[in-house]
Amino acid sequence: MIKNIKDMTMPELASYVCSKLEEKNIEVVLSGGSCVEIYSRGDYTSYDIDLINRYNDTFFKIKSVMQSLGFIEEGKYFVYEGTSFYIEFPSGPLGLGDAPVEKIAELPTKYGTLKLSIHI
């Protein structure tokens, strides 16, 4: 049984959304502050989940999936009532600040597999 979205941790929520988008052939990769939070094991905290659309699928496709999951579009973010996290789909290219992405890692959770950018 799936945990309620509002009770998910940031990595669980990000992996859930990443996997649901992938089911519709939309590949996204976590980048930005939430990615740093995972790599720093919580030394840095972010409530902004940045998912970069790797192959520039139309925003309409992403919006459709997010709405089907119960998210509401508010400005540039998607929010889910009862959670403090907000999801954004910034335009690429995939990177962390000015650092290019060398590899993409995968973090499996019980809600799906989260793809994370790796900077070397």
Side-chain angles (χ1 to χ4, degrees):
M1 178 160 196
I2 190 158
K3 183 189 270 188
N4 191 317
I5 287 176
K6 65 184 178 182
D7 297 324
M8 290 181 180
T9 65
M10 183 276 294
E12 290 173 339
L13 178 57
S15 67
Y16 175 71
V17 170
C18 186
S19 293
K20 290 298 182 184
L21 288 167
E22 193 165 307
E23 287 175 8
K24 300 295 183 184
N25 297 312
I26 303 168
E27 188 175 340
V28 295
V29 178
L30 184 69
S31 193
S34 293
C35 199
V36 173
E37 180 176 340
I38 291 171
Y39 285 126
S40 71
R41 293 185 164 83
D43 286 346
Y44 175 87
T45 302
S46 176
Y47 293 96
D48 177 11
I49 299 172
D50 294 323
L51 295 172
I52 306 296
N53 178 359
R54 290 202 62 205
Y55 300 111
N56 296 317
D57 288 293
T58 64
F59 186 74
F60 177 78
K61 285 176 64 178
I62 292 171
K63 181 178 178 177
S64 176
V65 173
M66 295 301 288
Q67 289 176 334
S68 75
L69 298 175
F71 286 84
I72 298 169
E73 185 179 12
E74 290 186 2
K76 64 180 184 174
Y77 300 107
F78 285 92
V79 296
Y80 191 93
E81 187 176 343
T83 184
S84 55
F85 302 110
Y86 44 101
I87 300 174
E88 181 181 2
F89 295 91
S91 58
L94 184 60
L96 180 61
D98 292 332
V101 171
E102 300 294 331
K103 290 184 174 181
I104 296 174
E106 292 187 353
L107 175 66
T109 74
K110 58 186 168 184
Y111 301 107
T113 300
L114 177 58
K115 294 183 179 178
L116 305 112
S117 55
I118 298 177
H119 307 277
I120 298 174

